[in-house]
Amino acid sequence: EPEVTQTPSHQVTQMGQEVILRCVPISNHLYFYWYRQILGQKVEFLVSFYNNEISEKSEIFDDQFSVERPDGSNFTLKIRSTKLEDSAMYFCASRVGAGKNIQYFGAGTRLSVL
Amino acid sequence: GESVGLHLPTLSVQEGDNSIINCAYSNSASDYFIWYKQESGKGPQFIIDIRSNMDKRQGQRVTVLLNKTVKHLSLQIAATQPGDSAVYFCAENKRYNAGNMLTFGGGTRLMVKP
């Protein structure tokens, strides 16, 4: 069964460093998303991406965040200068396209900022 | 502001019993709702969805009920099994100009006792 894959599963970084979280969405999907989940809290929307551009972003997704689809398979989230409060699970999701917004999630990357 | 929230943070049930997980929402413009299951260390997994023009939808061992009058959503799991132990999130879909966005509730932890 096709699935969304994310790498790495765990990323440890120093405060102020840049990190890139990687995702490979399901191959025939057209819409891509990033969410984060702080430990013990709910899943929060960060950004949606379609047709090679951001279609919606939340207040969390400030200038320190960026997304990119560098090729036909990868979808990345970059945090330029990490802060302690960026520590969380980051989930990538994708969906096919028109119709119901059923998003399929990856297993997540745990980001630990020290 | 508008939000999706859950009544009970933790639900403990005996194996074989039925489980009911509740969710309240406040955005009457949401066109449909989705229940996700999140097991430890994994991303949210789609369970079932329901459109806003429906009151009930059944899947395999799961039923979702929607009461638009009181803006309430519930997930019923029949004959709960140990494998059902997880955190369950409801999510509402909002349409915006460029597409759709999911807003998640706070989650309910279901614990199944053998």
Side-chain angles (χ1 to χ4, degrees):
Chain A
E1 182 177 325
E3 59 181 15
V4 176
T5 57
Q6 291 185 242
T7 55
S9 56
H10 190 192
Q11 175 82 52
V12 182
T13 189
Q14 295 290 325
M15 188 170 56
Q17 295 297 304
E18 174 183 287
V19 294
I20 298 177
L21 309 183
R22 303 182 189 278
C23 170
V24 179
I26 296 174
S27 62
N28 63 334
H29 285 192
L30 301 177
Y31 292 79
F32 314 112
Y33 305 83
W34 282 101
Y35 293 82
R36 82 171 184 189
Q37 185 179 32
I38 296 171
L39 184 64
Q41 300 186 22
K42 64 181 181 181
V43 178
E44 299 175 289
F45 170 79
L46 292 178
V47 65
S48 60
F49 192 87
Y50 171 71
N51 199 25
N52 286 319
E53 60 182 20
I54 291 173
S55 49
E56 185 71 14
K57 59 183 180 179
S58 70
E59 294 177 351
I60 303 169
F61 195 88
D62 61 21
D63 292 344
Q64 293 300 311
F65 291 87
S66 62
V67 289
E68 190 178 27
R69 187 156 166 82
D71 52 44
S73 60
N74 291 283
F75 179 52
T76 62
L77 174 69
K78 181 192 291 186
I79 309 175
R80 292 189 182 83
S81 178
T82 50
K83 303 185 289 288
L84 293 176
E85 54 265 37
D86 292 327
S87 296
M89 284 290 290
Y90 287 81
F91 293 106
C92 173
S94 68
R95 73 178 177 100
V96 173
K100 294 189 290 185
N101 187 19
I102 298 175
Q103 298 177 21
Y104 295 87
F105 285 75
T109 293
R110 179 172 297 283
L111 177 63
S112 299
V113 182
L114 306 179
Chain B
E2 296 173 331
S3 65
V4 177
L6 292 169
H7 294 166
L8 298 173
T10 303
L11 177 65
S12 183
V13 300
Q14 202 70 37
E15 180 179 358
D17 288 351
N18 297 333
S19 304
I20 300 176
I21 300 170
N22 297 301
C23 177
Y25 68 94
S26 58
N27 184 2
S28 57
S30 295
D31 61 349
Y32 73 100
F33 305 85
I34 304 174
W35 280 100
Y36 280 92
K37 172 186 181 183
Q38 186 177 25
E39 296 175 278
S40 181
K42 297 183 179 180
Q45 178 186 6
F46 170 82
I47 301 174
I48 192 169
D49 64 333
I50 186 168
R51 290 192 181 275
S52 60
N53 61 355
M54 299 172 66
D55 298 322
K56 179 180 180 179
R57 187 160 190 231
Q58 286 186 293
Q60 186 178 12
R61 279 202 309 119
V62 295
T63 302
V64 56
L65 299 177
L66 177 62
N67 185 332
K68 294 181 288 294
T69 301
V70 295
K71 297 188 178 65
H72 185 267
L73 191 69
S74 69
L75 177 71
Q76 300 179 0
I77 305 174
T80 312
Q81 302 169 0
D84 295 326
S85 294
V87 177
Y88 290 80
F89 294 94
C90 64
E92 59 176 323
N93 182 73
K94 299 178 186 178
R95 290 188 179 274
Y96 53 92
N97 288 339
N100 301 278
M101 182 174 71
L102 291 180
T103 299
F104 284 80
T108 292
R109 180 174 301 280
L110 177 64
M111 300 174 62
V112 182
K113 297 178 287 186

